[in-house]
Amino acid sequence: MSAIQAAWPSGTECIAKYNFHGTAEQDLPFCKGDVLTIVAVTKDPNWYKAKNKVGREGIIPANYVQKREGVKAGTKLSLMPWFHGKITREQADTTTLERLLCPPETGLFLVRESTNYPGDYTLCVSCDGKVEHYRIMYHASKLSIDEEVYFENLMQLVEHYTSDADGLCTRLIKPKVMEGTVAAQDEFFRSGWALNMKDLKLLQTIGKGEFGDVMLGDYRGNKVAVKCIKNDATAQAFLAEASVMTQLRHSNLVQLLGVIVEEKGGLYIVTEYMAKGSLVDYLRSRGRSVLGGDCLLKFSLDVCEAMEYLEGNNFVHRDLAARNVLVSEDNVAKVSDFGLTKEASSTQDTGKLPVKWTAPEALREKKFSTKSDVWSFGILLWEIYSFGRVPYPRIPLKDVVPRVEKGYKMDAPDGCPPAVYEVMKNCWHLDAATRPSFLQLREQLEHIKTHELHL
């Protein structure tokens, strides 16, 4: 057990594998699925001192809990690890597929895009040493093999035939996982982030997006926010966001509580609940009469500290804006929406980027870095001090980039302290290398807080 002791320092998060009722007064009882934080190692390496979500501390058995780990960067998670996408006509011949579904176990299966019927799919199943092919027809937004039973998506179809052969040569028993992918459900379970749907109550819709709804939920008596993503293709895209969130822990980042992957294609990303909504709406609804300079500076520092943490861990957010910062019940601003967040080395399609918030080199050459996040932070500061106005007012969208590339910088918002405006302008150097780091930005903002608030 000493290896566990060495591996689990104070502050380590873990999730309970079993119920623990405790027998001694100093024990900390918990239920399977509870999240606990290690406070200290005891003299006996089989026991830890830990605290629960409400701050109660006590002794817990080490073998009743599992350490929570971040999903490893570069892991290609899939909700449909049995889906092999396009297979060329040559690969789709019987001999190649028989090699792919090898050794030929009855019930081994994969799904691929149809080569003969574009838009349809093919289910390939190994049965008694042979491979059977079933056309999955896509019609009126539904999928069917026999035109008797229809499904919303491939996951529902596979789940149905996993529990019942229903006319196929065999029920689907074992997925042939596409090379290089990992089943999302298995990985979230392995790393300690899988939650149980039975513990979650969905209460009311608090936001809507193209991907699905954001709902207020109750998870074991605590208010939570839940992104409910239904469509399998959309859900697949959100896996990357969830896996990034498992790697990030900071008091000014919206915290992931866990992930639920449903067999039938539903993905639920459960995060802490931020009662006061997005920062941009908060600024617009309160305005100058409610929010003083100290409050605006605090929000600026909250975001800067989160970004300094991302900078230190080599993550680039790529979509920093006041709409993607949320405000908690006790007025703490936290950065959210990690859908575009990636390790600093990766590139990305620029088609959907918000032009007014994105650095010129990122728009022009797809060069994303911490320094492009710094540019966006400057725009976010302008949003904060203008109480949620849209940047570049009175300039048509098509003219923004040409003007910015010639050196144009927005004027200071009304009432913005000159020292804060200087910080904004430093973020907007066209040469990315001359922009400050988030560490330097935090130091500058803290100096303003200490010495220059009267300005």
Side-chain angles (χ1 to χ4, degrees), residues 361-377:
E361 74 277 5
L363 287 171
R364 190 176 57 246
E365 303 159 41
K366 302 186 183 180
K367 278 191 180 169
F368 289 88
S369 65
T370 290
K371 293 302 177 78
S372 59
D373 276 351
V374 166
W375 177 287
S376 305
F377 180 71

Side-chain angles (χ1 to χ4, degrees), residues 163 209 384 405 415:
S163 53
I384 289 174
E405 290 194 324

Side-chain angles (χ1 to χ4, degrees), residues 145-257:
I145 287 177
D146 55 14
E147 297 188 81
E148 288 179 17
V149 191
Y150 285 86
F151 305 93
E152 297 286 332
N153 56 45
L154 286 172
M155 279 182 266
Q156 286 183 10
L157 181 143
V158 165
E159 203 235 354
H160 173 79
Y161 289 107
T162 298
S163 53
D164 186 348
D166 196 15
L168 303 187
C169 57
T170 171
R171 71 179 183 86
L172 308 180
I173 298 169
K174 182 180 175 184
K176 174 66 180 181
V177 175
M178 187 179 177
E179 202 173 327
T181 62
V182 178
Q185 199 166 9
D186 296 347
E187 179 59 21
F188 286 125
F189 187 79
R190 183 203 66 77
S191 55
W193 292 96
L195 301 183
N196 196 321
M197 194 71 195
K198 292 200 291 276
D199 294 324
L200 180 67
K201 291 191 194 84
L202 298 174
L203 303 175
Q204 66 188 72
T205 304
I206 52 177
K208 284 188 176 290
E210 291 171 40
F211 59 84
D213 295 341
V214 179
M215 298 193 73
L216 172 64
D218 178 292
Y219 184 76
R220 299 187 164 194
N222 296 311
K223 279 185 178 177
V224 293
V226 188
K227 275 186 181 173
C228 309
I229 303 133
K230 298 293 185 199
N231 175 290
D232 49 12
T234 313
Q236 182 63 46
F238 274 86
L239 285 177
E241 175 172 356
S243 62
V244 163
M245 291 180 82
T246 67
Q247 301 171 59
L248 306 173
R249 311 307 276 166
H250 188 275
S251 56
N252 294 111
L253 295 176
V254 172
Q255 292 301 300
L256 177 72
L257 301 177

Side-chain angles (χ1 to χ4, degrees), residues 1-10 41-48 62:
M1 294 299 285
S2 55
I4 294 176
Q5 181 178 330
W8 293 18
S10 173
V41 203
T42 67
K43 287 176 185 171
D44 183 344
N46 297 309
W47 298 84
Y48 283 105

